């Protein structure tokens, strides 16, 4: 059994001009959202054997906020392929994960993460919350997918199950879209 938890970076700031998109940091709402989601992850006792992330500043900042709420710092493997990647490239990253680890947290960007979720879970009414993901995979949201496989390379289209989908607004209404 393999578990892949996908984390979209938290809300970033567009008001602070930066030379490159890669360098965009989180805004205050994003920092708060990351910490709230991290605390919720701790309350659920979510465990990870490894973390892999885009090295973009907003992903680094998101993970820093997650660790504050989670109460534990993990040291990610920074993978440049994740930065603004398509779902196909993200699946390549998943396929490259070592088989001796079973639970991975991946932090990245949309639309790639959302497309990856929708590719990996079956398109059927029994797949809980699929419609919510199709509607939007908001910033600082997590989606946990499980796979009945022994090797990461065996993960493919329609083979996963969405076991959790948590949005910051589900945890704190002030983090909802109406409170930008």
């Amino acid at each position: 059994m393999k578990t892949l938890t996908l984390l979209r970076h938290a809300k970033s700031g567009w008001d602070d001009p930066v030379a490159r998109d890669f360098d965009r940091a989180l805004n205050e709402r994003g920092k708060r959202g990351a910490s709230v989601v991290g605390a919720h992850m701790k309350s659920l006792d979510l465990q990870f054997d490894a973390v892999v992330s885009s090295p973009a500043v907003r992903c680094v900042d998101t993970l820093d906020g997650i660790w504050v709420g989670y109460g534990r710092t993990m040291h990610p493997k920074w993978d440049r392929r994740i930065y603004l990647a398509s779902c196909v490239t993200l699946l390549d990253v998943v396929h490259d994960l070592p088989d001796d680890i079973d639970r991975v947290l991946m932090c990245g960007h949309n639309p790639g993460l959302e497309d990856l979720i929708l590719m990996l879970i079956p398109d059927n009414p029994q797949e809980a919350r699929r419609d919510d993901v199709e509607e939007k995979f908001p910033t600082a949201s997590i989606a946990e997918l499980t796979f009945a496989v022994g090797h990461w390379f065996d993960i493919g289209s329609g083979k996963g199950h969405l076991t959790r989908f948590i949005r910051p607004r589900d945890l704190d209404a002030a983090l909802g879209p109406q409170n930008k």
Side-chain angles (χ1 to χ4, degrees), residues 115-135:
D115 292 343
L116 181 64
I117 296 164
L118 296 175
M119 176 176 60
L120 294 178
I121 62 175
D123 187 8
N124 66 46
Q126 287 77 36
E127 204 55 51
R129 310 272 328 248
R130 182 184 171 91
D131 290 343
D132 291 338
V133 175
E134 283 180 336
E135 181 183 324

Side-chain angles (χ1 to χ4, degrees), residues 29 32 172-180:
R29 181 173 162 225
R32 193 170 85 248
D172 179 347
L175 295 170
Q178 71 282 2
N179 297 304
K180 295 180 182 180

Side-chain angles (χ1 to χ4, degrees), residues 12-25:
S12 58
W14 288 93
D15 298 337
D16 186 18
V18 292
R20 303 180 310 161
D21 174 74
F22 186 88
D23 298 322
R24 216 164 9 96

Side-chain angles (χ1 to χ4, degrees):
M1 177 74 74
K2 300 293 184 191
T3 302
L4 177 65
T5 303
L6 301 174
L7 166 66
R8 182 176 174 200
H9 67 77
K11 192 82 173 151
S12 58
W14 288 93
D15 298 337
D16 186 18
V18 292
R20 303 180 310 161
D21 174 74
F22 186 88
D23 298 322
R24 216 164 9 96
L26 299 185
N27 62 22
E28 288 307 311
R29 181 173 162 225
K31 291 174 187 174
R32 193 170 85 248
S35 180
V36 166
V37 169
H40 189 67
M41 291 165 64
K42 179 180 181 175
S43 76
L44 296 172
D45 195 31
L46 296 185
Q47 301 292 317
F48 308 102
D49 301 321
V51 179
V52 62
S53 177
S54 161
V57 170
R58 57 193 178 273
C59 288
V60 174
D61 290 351
T62 297
L63 288 172
D64 286 346
I66 291 288
W67 306 145
V68 168
Y70 191 61
R72 176 178 171 214
T73 300
M74 295 188 69
H75 302 284
K77 175 185 176 206
W78 305 109
D79 192 326
R80 183 98 179 169
R81 293 178 296 171
I82 298 172
Y83 176 64
L84 302 181
S86 70
C87 63
V88 173
T89 300
L90 292 172
L91 187 57
D92 287 342
V93 173
V94 170
H95 285 164
D96 288 345
L97 293 168
D99 286 330
D100 63 337
I101 60 174
D102 294 321
R103 300 166 300 184
V104 173
L105 174 65
M106 177 188 285
C107 181
H109 313 266
N110 252 5
L113 288 177
E114 181 177 318
D115 292 343
L116 181 64
I117 296 164
L118 296 175
M119 176 176 60
L120 294 178
I121 62 175
D123 187 8
N124 66 46
Q126 287 77 36
E127 204 55 51
R129 310 272 328 248
R130 182 184 171 91
D131 290 343
D132 291 338
V133 175
E134 283 180 336
E135 181 183 324
K136 186 172 185 184
F137 186 48
T139 54
S141 293
I142 59 172
E144 180 185 79
L145 293 86
T146 57
F147 304 88
V149 299
H151 306 282
W152 291 103
F153 194 79
D154 293 334
I155 291 174
S157 184
K159 291 188 176 183
H161 296 284
L162 183 64
T163 52
R164 296 181 210 275
F165 178 52
I166 302 163
R167 303 169 296 194
R169 70 177 173 219
D170 298 332
L171 308 173
D172 179 347
L175 295 170
Q178 71 282 2
N179 297 304
K180 295 180 182 180

